[in-house]
Each structure stands twice: as structure tokens, then as C-alpha cells.
Amino acid sequence: MIQIDYTEQMINYRNYLLDEEKSVATTEKYLRDVRRFLSFLEGFPKETGINKEYTIAYKAHLSGSYAPASVNSMLIAMNGFLKFCGLSNLCVKLLKIQRQIFCKKEKELTGREYQRLLRALKGTRLFYIIRTIGGTGIRVSELQYITVDAVRTGKADVKCKNKNRIIFLPKEVRTILKEYIAKAGIKKGSVFVTRSGKPLNRSNIWRDMQS
């Protein structure tokens, strides 16, 4: 049974994640999951500290409330925190998940649904975003690398986790992006930005999608 100063360790862990060049979004996600774990521990006597029985119980608790992929995501955050605290012996194994190459059919947009979405978005910034994502296959987090220069040259240099890859922009995508750039009066940098000039992130786009 081990007792640790959670408050101090959380501050140190956040700094550690940032030093490891984790993105701000990833860092906050890890910290949020660790706080969930620490909240779960509040149901146990504080004087006993933390032991393997508690981490196994937490795994069982998550398994009864979340999908396996979500459970593993939260366990990775917990295990990372425990290792940082020198408590590797308290880590638990992740759930075994059969790898799926393709998403479930019911989660896919059909061609008709995609066109219906575009018709509903016609004339909005989100229309151009969805066309760009649909035409290139990029992730939402990679949208920031679609710049004015990328539209001009026909390729975007995407940097993710210390790796670079080139995304080619089809002619049709470049055409609609040039239309948007002219319409929005964008001269340089990322094509899709907030009012303050920062690249759009998942939360920005999700709010637009909800609207």
C-alpha cells in the first residue's frame, strides 16, 4: 500500500507530458483521465493509500461503463501516471480488442448522406471544411496544415508526432479552397482559422457541426 501526494504529482506529470512534446489536447486528456482515476480512489480509505487491488477494481469499474477502446484509453493514462510516480507494479493490463480495419457500416456516412450534409452546409465555412476532409482523407487535427501555400502548390506538409507526411490536394479540392480563400480574404497561413487567427481545432468544428 502506497501513499502519494496527488496534487503535487499532477502538476509534475503535466510538465512531464509537455516536455515529452505531447500536444496540449493530449496532455489535457491524460490529466482528465487521471483525475477520473483519483476521484474513483476517494471511495477507498485514504489511510490505506493505493494498491493493486484498487487499480484492478478501477479497471472493472470502467469496463462496466465504457466501450473497450475508451476503457483502454483511460487505463493508458492511469498507467502512465503510475509509472511516472514510480508505481509501475500497480499498472494493469489493457483489454484485448480485436482489431477492426474498417469502422462499422452503421457508423459510415452513405454517399447520399454526405451529399445531404453538403447541401445543408452550402455557403458556410463548414462546407469547405467537410469538402476538404472528404476530398483528402485528412484528420481534423491535420486541418491546420492546409495552408494558402499548400493550396497553391497542391500539397500539404503534415507534421504529427515527430513524423512528416505529404498530403496531395486533388484539383477539385484546390478549386473550392481557392474559392474560400478569395471569399474570406485570407492571404497566408492556415486556411481555416478562428476570428483571432488561430487554426481551428476539434471543439471549434464540433460546435459548428452542432449548429
Side-chain angles (χ1 to χ4, degrees), residues 58-144:
Y58 181 62
K59 177 181 177 180
H61 166 71
L62 293 178
S63 298
S65 306
Y66 299 94
S70 297
V71 171
N72 282 349
S73 176
M74 288 182 271
L75 291 181
I76 288 172
M78 180 194 73
N79 284 345
F81 179 67
L82 291 173
K83 290 177 182 177
F84 175 77
C85 295
L87 306 176
S88 298
N89 59 309
L90 302 185
C91 293
V92 298
K93 294 181 179 179
L94 303 183
L95 300 179
K96 292 184 178 180
I97 302 176
Q98 184 176 1
R99 184 180 178 187
Q100 291 184 326
I101 299 177
F102 303 101
C103 68
K104 294 181 180 180
K105 189 172 182 180
E106 60 268 24
K107 290 188 175 182
E108 295 179 348
L109 279 178
T110 64
R112 180 175 297 180
E113 289 171 334
Y114 178 67
Q115 293 302 326
R116 181 183 174 191
L117 176 62
L118 292 178
R119 286 197 297 273
L121 298 174
K122 191 69 175 179
T124 69
R125 178 179 63 184
L126 196 52
F127 169 83
Y128 295 96
I129 291 174
I130 297 299
R131 284 292 302 273
T132 300
I133 293 174
T136 60
I138 62 172
R139 303 178 181 89
V140 172
S141 60
E142 297 172 338
L143 199 62
Q144 61 181 306

Side-chain angles (χ1 to χ4, degrees), residues 132 138 142-148 150-151 156 169 177 189-191:
T132 300
I138 62 172
E142 297 172 338
L143 199 62
Q144 61 181 306
Y145 299 107
I146 304 299
T147 63
V148 173
V151 175
L169 308 181
L177 285 175
S190 296
V191 172

